[in-house]
Amino acid sequence: MKKNKTPIIVAVFLVAWLLSTVAFIVLKCFGVISWSWWWLLAPIFGTPLLALLAVGTVAFCTIFLSLTSKVNKL
């Protein structure tokens, strides 16, 4: 039986994402990089916003398609 490696890959990606974000914040605090705080914190806020956008798009398309199919049946 094959084991699914997807959870391991996702966990490694999330840990790398978190560690790189923390590393960039530490570098900003010590003055090594002069990036804007918006760019440093964008991955933290951007990821949930992109997920919400994706869910909203799927919900909108589902509702739109169900409404148009009801109108076409009349």
Side-chain angles (χ1 to χ4, degrees):
M1 181 183 339
K2 284 187 172 183
K3 290 187 177 183
N4 191 359
K5 293 185 179 182
T6 303
I8 295 171
I9 293 170
V10 171
V12 168
F13 174 75
L14 288 175
V15 168
W17 171 74
L18 179 64
L19 288 177
S20 65
T21 302
V22 170
F24 286 136
I25 290 172
V26 169
L27 290 173
K28 170 74 174 176
C29 288
F30 284 110
V32 177
I33 56 176
S34 61
W35 300 347
S36 168
W37 282 105
W38 288 106
W39 287 114
L40 285 174
L41 299 177
I44 294 173
F45 299 119
T47 305
L49 289 176
L50 285 175
L52 284 174
L53 181 67
V55 169
T57 302
V58 169
F60 175 78
C61 291
T62 304
I63 292 169
F64 180 76
L65 289 175
S66 70
L67 290 176
T68 56
S69 66
K70 289 179 183 178
V71 169
N72 290 337
K73 289 181 181 179
L74 294 176

